[in-house]
Structures are given as C-alpha cells and as structure tokens.
Amino acid sequence: PYTTLFRSIQVAAARFDYIGFGPQLLLLPHLREALVSSVEFPGFMQLFDTQGPPGCPSLPARLLDRSPCLKFSPAHAKTALKKEQQIPKLEFSFSRMGGDDISRAAEWFQGQWKKNLNLQVTLSPIEQLMYLQRLRASPPPIFRKGVSLDRPTCLAALELFTKGHPENYIHFDDREYEKLVERLRTSSGDSERKVRCRKAIEYLLNSHRLL
C-alpha cells in the first residue's frame, strides 16, 4: 500500500474587474451618475468573499494610504436620474464563462438599480467568444469585464482606459486623464506614484464611466 500526498499551491494574480458603461450612455452623464451612486457595496460583501471592499479600487493597495471609493447615496442618485429626459432600454451583458458567481453578481446589481432607482435592467448572459466580439464591435450599455493585469501595478490597470488601448471598451477619451496616466508613468518614486495613482483613480471614478 502507498499514500499519495497532494500539495495545494496558490498563485496570486492581479486582476481588475469592473462594470463599464458603453458608448450608448456617453451622452447620458446623469444616468451614469445615478447608476453609480445607487449601489450599496457593503451588501455585495455579504454575498461574496472579498479581500477588499468593492467600489474601492486599490491598484495596488501598497501604493495607496487609503483607496478612493464610490459613494452610495440613493437620494443623490434619484435626483441625478430626474435630470435625464429619456431613459433608454438598459441591458447588462456579461460572459457565461464566469459561471454562477458572475450571474449572481449581475442579479445583485440588477436588484440594486430596481430597489434604489426603480430602473428595470435586463440581464444578458452571452457565450464568451460572442461576448468578446460584441465588446470589440459595439459594447452594450452596461457590461461586466474582468482583466488579468500583465503586471501588478496601478499603471497597468489605468492604462486599460487610455485612448487606443484594445481593452478600452468604455471608449474613454479624455485629455486630462491621459495627462494623469502619463504623469504616473513617468513617476520616479513610490511616494510620487502613490499621489499620482490616487489622482488618476479619482478622476476615472468621478467620470461615472464604470463601477
């Protein structure tokens, strides 16, 4: 008789998962603002085991004293929504490859928007290959995207949303943001990178182009 021993090896991977708003919502800033500020992230942590609070991108945490976070304010969200004269049909697309966890997360966001804004958002799970093709050709109004970063840095995540980047599915095109990312790219030390990383993250969050 013999015994086989198995050793579990875990490899850490840097990821940036977000919910983006496609070009169809580009000219609807108040709707995007409402969608962002109507999400109560502490409730998300009751469904999923997360190492950090959702809505607070730390890229990476060692570079930030404290991560800037999206603010939950249903009253503010409702006020912003009233400023939009017409609300288009909202579809939230995501890849089926993510399995039950991604579907459950999508249902949670759908429930938040229904509860806090009385908005009906249709969920649209799509096969992975077709999903990627759609993101490249014509991103849906709301979509979920996970990205494995090629290096564990703040810059690696923020570069995703620079003009011309193949992963810039929200079609973010902002000169001030480009300047902030370039300043981060040319930073010479950790303390300078920390300040510039935070400024770029805050600018991106304040654009209400993603969650």
Side-chain angles (χ1 to χ4, degrees):
Y2 61 90
T3 302
T4 302
L5 299 178
F6 295 93
R7 176 177 296 175
S8 174
I9 299 176
Q10 294 184 342
V11 179
R15 288 186 57 82
F16 187 78
D17 298 343
Y18 68 94
I19 292 174
F21 302 132
Q24 294 174 2
L25 302 189
L26 179 60
L27 299 180
L28 299 170
H30 302 301
L31 172 58
R32 298 197 316 270
E33 186 176 1
L35 290 169
V36 168
S37 56
S38 60
V39 174
E40 190 174 12
F41 280 110
F44 189 90
M45 299 179 70
Q46 297 175 9
L47 294 178
F48 299 93
D49 181 19
T50 63
Q51 294 186 1
C56 304
S58 51
L59 303 172
R62 68 180 180 82
L63 287 181
L64 297 171
D65 295 322
R66 57 185 180 85
S67 185
C69 299
L70 297 171
K71 295 178 176 59
F72 171 61
S73 175
H76 179 81
K78 290 176 182 177
T79 299
L81 189 62
K82 289 178 181 178
K83 295 178 182 179
E84 295 291 4
Q85 296 183 354
Q86 188 172 359
I87 307 298
K89 180 180 178 181
L90 295 175
E91 174 192 358
F92 181 6
S93 300
F94 54 94
S95 171
R96 289 184 184 275
M97 193 174 72
D100 292 340
D101 281 350
I102 300 303
S103 295
R104 193 152 49 102
E107 290 171 359
W108 184 83
F109 279 100
Q110 180 190 48
Q112 288 285 291
W113 292 321
K114 177 63 177 177
K115 173 185 176 183
N116 298 319
L117 289 176
N118 197 30
L119 277 180
Q120 184 62 48
V121 178
T122 302
L123 300 184
S124 176
I126 306 174
E127 296 300 332
Q128 174 71 357
L129 182 58
M130 294 180 62
Y131 183 61
L132 291 177
Q133 289 175 344
R134 182 171 181 189
L135 286 180
R136 292 168 186 146
S138 180
I142 307 173
F143 61 90
R144 189 259 182 201
K145 187 70 174 71
V147 184
S148 294
L149 303 181
D150 58 4
R151 58 200 191 281
T153 65
C154 177
L155 179 61
L158 295 178
E159 282 178 335
L160 298 171
F161 308 105
T162 54
K163 186 177 181 179
H165 194 286
E167 291 270 1
N168 185 7
Y169 297 123
I170 64 172
H171 294 190
F172 198 48
D173 183 2
D174 187 288
R175 290 185 180 179
E176 184 59 31
Y177 180 74
E178 298 288 333
K179 292 178 184 177
L180 291 171
V181 173
E182 184 58 31
R183 288 171 191 157
L184 175 59
R185 186 178 289 118
T186 57
S187 298
S188 57
D190 274 356
S191 89
E192 187 175 61
R193 278 193 291 270
K194 183 185 297 184
V195 172
R196 293 182 176 181
C197 172
R198 184 181 179 86
K199 284 184 178 179
I201 292 173
E202 288 180 335
Y203 191 89
L204 182 61
L205 294 183
N206 290 335
S207 74
H208 304 125
R209 297 295 301 275
L210 53 76
L211 277 159

